[in-house]
């Protein structure tokens, strides 16, 4: 049937490559927002009593982290990641700068055909 998805279509190389791209974009966006939040907005809030950037960046980061998490789940299921690899990757997304290291590591392993 047209539009019917099978297990093989979800795990095809093209589907995995698209899921990897979505994950990489979301990891980068969330990582940049987290750095801006921690190193710019929070100090402005606490040192200069300017709460606006903290509120905006905190809310944006929270919502986009949810999308990052979903993109990581999608990729992990398609590429058959280990539970440990998945958990380490999404936890690293909560630590400034480490999110970029985890994204590069996951991407390198995926491109080398290794399991994350």
């Amino acid at each position: 049937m047209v539009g019917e998805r099978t297990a093989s279509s979800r795990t095809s190389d093209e589907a995995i490559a698209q899921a990897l791209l979505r994950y990489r974009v979301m990891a980068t966006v969330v990582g940049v927002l987290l750095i801006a939040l921690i190193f710019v907005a929070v100090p402005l809030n606490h040192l200069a009593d300017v709460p606006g950037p903290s509120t905006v960046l905190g809310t944006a980061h929270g919502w986009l982290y949810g999308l990052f998490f979903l993109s990581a789940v999608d990729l992990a299921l398609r590429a058959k990641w280990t539970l440990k690899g998945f958990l380490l990757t999404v936890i690293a997304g909560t630590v400034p700068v480490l999110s970029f290291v985890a994204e590069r590591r996951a991407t390198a392993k995926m491109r080398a055909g290794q399991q994350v």
Side-chain angles (χ1 to χ4, degrees):
M1 290 182 105
V2 175
E4 184 178 314
R5 291 201 144 165
T6 63
S8 64
S9 70
R10 287 190 306 254
T11 59
S12 72
D13 290 342
E14 183 180 336
I16 292 171
Q18 290 171 352
L20 179 61
L21 178 61
R22 286 189 299 271
Y23 161 76
R24 294 186 70 205
V25 167
M26 290 311 303
T28 301
V29 168
V30 168
V32 169
L33 279 176
L34 185 57
I35 287 172
L37 177 64
I38 298 300
F39 296 114
V40 177
V42 170
L44 277 174
N45 189 10
H46 292 286
L47 301 175
D49 199 27
V50 179
S54 246
T55 303
V56 171
L57 289 176
T59 301
H61 172 71
W63 281 101
L64 291 172
Y65 184 84
L67 294 177
F68 161 76
F69 183 84
L70 291 175
S71 70
V73 167
D74 179 46
L75 178 59
L77 291 174
R78 289 178 191 273
K80 296 178 176 49
W81 285 9
T82 64
L83 180 59
K84 178 183 174 184
F86 167 73
L87 290 175
L88 289 174
T89 300
V90 296
I91 290 169
T94 65
V95 180
V97 182
L98 189 56
S99 60
F100 298 110
V101 174
E103 180 272 323
R104 294 304 307 163
R105 180 183 161 275
T107 299
K109 282 190 161 200
M110 292 287 304
R111 289 183 174 162
Q114 299 172 350
Q115 190 175 33
V116 176

